[in-house]
Amino acid sequence: MDRVPALEEPLKKLLGGPTAKVMAEHLDLHTVGDLLHHYPRRYEERGQLTKLAELPLDEDVTVVAQVADARVHTFNGGRGQRLEITITDGSGRLQLVFFGRGIHKPHKELLPGSRAMFAGKVSMFNRRMQLAHPTYAKLGADAAEGDDTVDIDSWAGALIPIYPACKGLESWKIAKAVDAVLPSAQEAVDPLPEALRDGRGFVSLPEALLKVHRPHSKADIEDARQRLKWDEAFVLQVALARRRHADGQLPAVARRPAPSGLLDAFDAKLPFTLTEGQQKVSKEIFDDLATEHPMHRLLQGEVGSGKTMVALRAMLAVVDSGGQAAMLAPTEVLAQQHHRSITEMMGELAEGGMLGGSDLGTKVVLLTGSMGMPARRQALLDLVTGEAGVVIGTHALIEDKVQFHDLGLVVVDEQHRFGVEQRDALRGKGKQPPHLLVMTATPIPRTVAMTVFGDLETSVLDQLPAGRSPIASHVVPAQDKPHFLARAWERVREEVDKGHQAYVVCPRIGDAADEADDPKSAKGKKKAEEAETADKRPPLAVIEIADQLSRGPLQGLRAEILHGRMQPDDKDDVMRRFGAGEVDVLVATTVIEVGVNVPNATAMVIMDADRFGVSQLHQLRGRVGRGSAPGLCLLVTDMPEASAARARLNAVASTLDGFELSRIDLEQRREGDVLGQAQSGVRSSLRMLTVIDDEEVIAAAREEAAAVVAEDPDLEHLPGLRTALDALLDKDREQYLDKG
């Protein structure tokens, strides 16, 4: 039987079942290689202790500190006992609390003057920070032999690695496990080509692993980090470069607009001039469409920058060339909205073959899951015969029954809402691979685009069309200043009095089918538990808020509700009447987040704004200020002023620049969220690289990767790189990259 390579050895063989089980379940670590790539989050220096004054609330922390004093208190008439220990690091003090029988061991071991590492969750009690029942390990001379001690001198130098830990497996226990597997680092296969490694002066991979886990100096840490960041950036960029290279070999039909055809006729009837940005981006797209390889382009632009117009012109160019174009929208509301606005913009050009339609025109059809059978049958017939040049639809477009005559272009709106399989299924409906245009209104910093969408060319629309109005945004602290909330409703009334309309957005629907409300459902149970522990009420709901507003501050105004569980005809009816000005206030969920365009709506109040992400708030805000009157967006929250949630809302209120906001969003979230979401939900492969801070590394790795792949597309001469690529591209990621 073949020997298992050292780095693929299962952890349970080396560490024992219980430890390996916790590592697998909570940290997703299964092999020796996984553990070697579980890097310290930071390093403590003996003599330079953590600043206790800066500990984050509600987070699991590991601190090194000295015991200042310890006292036992009794309560319940002497029946209960509580041990309170104060620890200090010179910058601040922190209370440790132990109850009941759990007080005896720490009372005996944690004597004033002793030093230890402590791990636990930071909570607040009586306005003081505390760790309740923390685990601890005594340090250095204070340590006696045993499990809960750290022999600090056996660790190199004065730097103590602090690992990302979990309940039941503290940082020091992970450190001991790393000690057990560290000798295997010598067998790590180096993914970097030798010339690249020597050219950039990097240490070898075994040396980098040794230095990152057991550094003797800060220079060791720096050497290791530079090297390990490069590994991650380079291997990912090689995967994307191979994908670009493979796409470049695929055939596609070149699609060039016919002179004096449908596109020219459409342009001639536009009542405005395209912005410079729209013209530039259109040229990039038309150049791609004219090639005999499939276009793969990401079009990102601010909310309201005119992406739909650019996409429509690309679709008409393809129809001009004899092909068909499909636009995939994430929700029925958005698909209907796109269909309505596109047919309005095209006028008689959208009525090809119909009475009164233009000779140059084509049919524009809508296909959604809830359409009636006759309409659906007709739409399917129009697609298969080629009668319809343009189709706009939801996931219904992906079904097996849907056949195209000659699909030439797929436009995916709001890319992050679609799974890889769904995009792939639509692209598979062309006789040859169709061109692909992906649109998003959530601006992505360049580094993220290079890391996550490195296989797509990127176009950016950062100019707003003329006539768009500024939007003022303010945070409304409802808990601290209730009169601010009262004033918010007055502002809504004032806007309606001027003849305008308003949105009120809530995080939840609040109907009987709302699973998150149902205490019997798994989601409901989890929500209730979370609410109880966080002392937080459930999120506000559309149905309740609409009722309160109609009977209270907005009494007399014409208010309607809109949410995703309404019947499609009812949704469409509400949106149509809101668009026609027959509804003053629309109380809705985030179903209005993308694509809804009502220029007369000038005010938006977002309830429980802290429960939405930065990009979602930016998207929602983009629904107002779409006409000539200025927009107003009020972010209502109960969160206290010092909280991270308030900082996030202040950031949204302070800028309308989506690229700036996406950068703030990234800095506040963990990296894996970003890459995990884009990579089909799989665990992020990035442990050392941070896409915001390591822009230069990513850009340089991209260049090196392109050169390597151009010279050796199958990596025949680079077995180490091929091995690393196989490890990065487990089955899920392989499919993700194959399907794009």
Side-chain angles (χ1 to χ4, degrees), residues 32 51 69 149 163 230 240 381 529 601 633 702:
V32 168
K51 283 193 163 42
D69 63 51
T149 63
Y163 288 90
W230 251 89
L240 293 167
L381 186 65
E529 280 164 22
C633 179
R702 184 182 167 106

Side-chain angles (χ1 to χ4, degrees), residues 512-645:
D514 202 333
E515 199 199 349
D517 293 341
D518 180 3
K520 290 189 188 119
S521 74
K523 253 193 194 168
K525 270 188 200 141
K526 187 164 185 280
K527 275 251 163 68
E529 280 164 22
E530 281 170 7
E532 213 172 284
T533 51
D535 198 23
K536 239 179 166 186
R537 56 165 172 71
L540 295 171
V542 165
I543 291 169
E544 294 152 21
I545 291 293
D547 185 49
Q548 287 169 22
L549 293 176
S550 296
R551 288 190 284 121
L554 302 187
Q555 196 170 9
L557 300 187
R558 299 169 298 174
E560 293 267 1
I561 62 174
L562 181 73
H563 59 73
R565 266 204 294 272
M566 289 165 62
Q567 289 301 313
D569 289 351
D570 295 342
K571 276 191 283 197
D572 211 28
D573 179 53
V574 170
M575 271 318 301
R576 187 191 54 71
R577 288 187 295 111
F578 187 64
E582 295 165 20
V583 174
D584 299 322
V585 180
L586 189 62
V587 185
T589 57
T590 53
V591 73
I592 60 150
E593 180 185 342
V594 282
V596 173
N597 183 22
V598 180
N600 192 44
T602 53
M604 175 175 283
V605 181
I606 303 178
M607 307 302 291
D608 277 346
D610 49 277
R611 297 183 189 249
F612 298 98
V614 169
S615 59
Q616 209 172 20
L617 291 169
H618 183 56
Q619 283 274 20
L620 286 165
R621 171 171 61 185
R623 301 305 112 211
V624 296
R626 299 179 81 86
S628 53
L632 172 69
C633 179
L634 301 174
L635 306 167
V636 180
T637 179
D638 282 350
M639 297 307 280
E641 195 166 350
S643 63

Side-chain angles (χ1 to χ4, degrees), residues 607-740:
M607 307 302 291
D608 277 346
D610 49 277
R611 297 183 189 249
F612 298 98
V614 169
S615 59
Q616 209 172 20
L617 291 169
H618 183 56
Q619 283 274 20
L620 286 165
R621 171 171 61 185
R623 301 305 112 211
V624 296
R626 299 179 81 86
S628 53
L632 172 69
C633 179
L634 301 174
L635 306 167
V636 180
T637 179
D638 282 350
M639 297 307 280
E641 195 166 350
S643 63
R646 271 288 277 282
R648 207 169 63 237
L649 295 180
N650 290 338
V652 173
S654 69
T655 178
L656 292 171
D657 180 341
F659 285 90
E660 177 58 26
L661 282 175
S662 63
R663 187 169 273 270
I664 290 167
D665 192 21
L666 253 183
E667 283 166 356
Q668 289 185 345
R669 285 158 51 191
R670 288 195 340 278
E671 209 77 49
D673 296 348
V674 182
L675 292 166
Q677 180 188 34
Q679 299 208 4
S680 188
V682 294
R683 179 167 61 100
S684 166
S685 59
L686 303 191
R687 295 178 178 87
M688 189 62 83
L689 193 74
T690 56
V691 292
I692 280 288
D693 300 331
D694 296 320
E695 186 159 355
E696 286 169 20
V697 174
I698 291 165
R702 184 182 167 106
E703 274 180 40
E704 294 273 16
V708 164
V709 171
E711 199 175 308
D712 182 3
D714 295 325
L715 310 179
E716 282 175 20
H717 306 296
L718 297 166
L721 178 54
R722 222 172 38 239
T723 304
L725 208 55
D726 291 341
L728 170 77
L729 299 180
D730 55 25
K731 207 163 169 212
D732 289 340
R733 284 201 182 89
E734 185 84 78
Q735 286 178 340
Y736 171 77
L737 286 169
D738 282 350
K739 294 174 180 177

Side-chain angles (χ1 to χ4, degrees), residues 243-254:
R243 165 75 203 278
R244 280 197 304 277
H245 183 269
D247 283 341
Q249 313 302 307
L250 288 173
V253 179

Side-chain angles (χ1 to χ4, degrees), residues 331-541:
T331 65
E332 291 209 352
V333 167
L334 187 52
Q336 287 161 344
Q337 181 88 26
H338 276 321
H339 182 253
R340 197 180 301 121
S341 63
I342 283 172
T343 48
E344 279 169 13
M345 283 193 275
M346 288 177 65
E348 74 283 358
L349 295 173
E351 296 167 357
M354 292 190 257
L355 203 61
S358 161
D359 293 343
L360 291 169
T362 187
K363 236 182 186 181
V364 178
V365 302
L366 175 70
L367 187 65
T368 64
S370 62
M371 281 169 73
M373 213 48 221
R376 188 180 175 78
R377 206 174 283 126
Q378 183 59 52
L380 291 172
L381 186 65
D382 289 340
L383 287 183
V384 77
T385 58
E387 190 87 4
V390 175
V391 58
I392 294 135
T394 54
H395 301 78
L397 279 176
I398 295 165
E399 290 170 14
D400 293 344
K401 289 192 198 84
V402 181
Q403 303 287 319
F404 288 84
H405 177 64
D406 179 16
L407 181 60
L409 170 67
V410 173
V411 178
V412 179
D413 192 15
E414 284 313 312
Q415 177 273 338
H416 63 276
R417 302 287 197 90
F418 287 101
V420 171
E421 288 74 16
Q422 295 158 328
R423 298 200 301 272
D424 186 49
L426 187 53
R427 277 172 62 190
K429 291 187 179 292
K431 292 187 177 73
Q432 279 193 318
H435 298 281
L436 175 70
L437 180 65
V438 165
M439 298 200 297
T440 177
T442 308
I444 303 164
R446 175 171 166 265
T447 39
V448 183
M450 282 195 314
T451 311
V452 184
F453 302 107
D455 57 318
L456 296 173
E457 297 301 322
T458 305
S459 295
V460 176
L461 272 177
D462 48 13
Q463 260 180 308
L464 288 186
R468 288 300 301 261
S469 301
I471 305 169
S473 305
H474 303 284
V475 177
V476 178
Q479 191 86 338
D480 306 348
K481 298 178 177 169
H483 59 287
F484 276 33
L485 183 58
R487 176 69 189 126
W489 301 127
E490 282 172 20
R491 284 292 289 113
V492 170
R493 291 197 87 99
E494 286 165 15
E495 288 301 306
V496 173
D497 288 345
K498 289 182 201 162
H500 299 308
Q501 293 156 279
Y503 298 98
V504 176
V505 181
C506 302
R508 228 169 23 104
I509 297 171
D511 63 0
D514 202 333
E515 199 199 349
D517 293 341
D518 180 3
K520 290 189 188 119
S521 74
K523 253 193 194 168
K525 270 188 200 141
K526 187 164 185 280
K527 275 251 163 68
E529 280 164 22
E530 281 170 7
E532 213 172 284
T533 51
D535 198 23
K536 239 179 166 186
R537 56 165 172 71
L540 295 171

